[in-house]
Amino acid sequence: MMGTFASVLATKKIRTHTDRFRADVEGDIENVDGVLKITVIRVHYVLKLSHEEENDAHWAMENYIEKCPAAMSVTGCIRIEHSLEFDSE
């Protein structure tokens, strides 16, 4: 997911080097009818950018998920929650 998001950000010329972009990921595993299943994956992105780049970053956030093979592979089985935090330059 992070790679796909970085690729979409790159189309807007937003840099995602390791010192500028990270993702904190966690998930929930629940007992569903006697079977342990991953039910939720939460991805919180932190991106360092200028104020002028924020609208493009929001656009990328709204559009990357349908381009992401990993997300599309589990959609419908695992709920994906994602959020974006800006860290000003």
Side-chain angles (χ1 to χ4, degrees):
M1 291 177 57
M2 188 175 184
T4 303
F5 186 37
S7 296
V8 175
L9 288 166
T11 66
K12 296 294 185 179
K13 308 219 181 304
I14 296 175
R15 296 172 290 159
T16 56
H17 300 282
T18 56
D19 63 329
R20 307 178 62 81
F21 183 51
R22 75 168 204 269
D24 301 322
V25 181
E26 62 180 13
D28 293 344
I29 299 173
E30 298 178 42
N31 182 334
V32 179
D33 299 326
V35 177
L36 295 178
K37 295 177 68 176
I38 300 169
T39 55
V40 180
I41 297 173
R42 286 177 289 279
V43 183
H44 179 73
Y45 297 103
V46 179
L47 179 62
K48 185 179 286 188
L49 74 174
S50 69
H51 179 68
E52 294 77 26
E53 296 172 310
E54 288 183 8
N55 284 340
D56 285 340
H58 281 296
W59 176 86
M61 183 73 170
E62 294 169 4
N63 290 286
Y64 87 95
I65 201 86
E66 60 267 4
K67 297 174 177 22
C68 179
M72 291 296 98
S73 295
V74 301
T75 295
C77 300
I78 301 172
R79 189 173 77 237
I80 297 174
E81 300 173 356
H82 56 153
S83 56
L84 176 61
E85 175 183 339
F86 297 130
D87 182 10
S88 299
E89 289 184 307

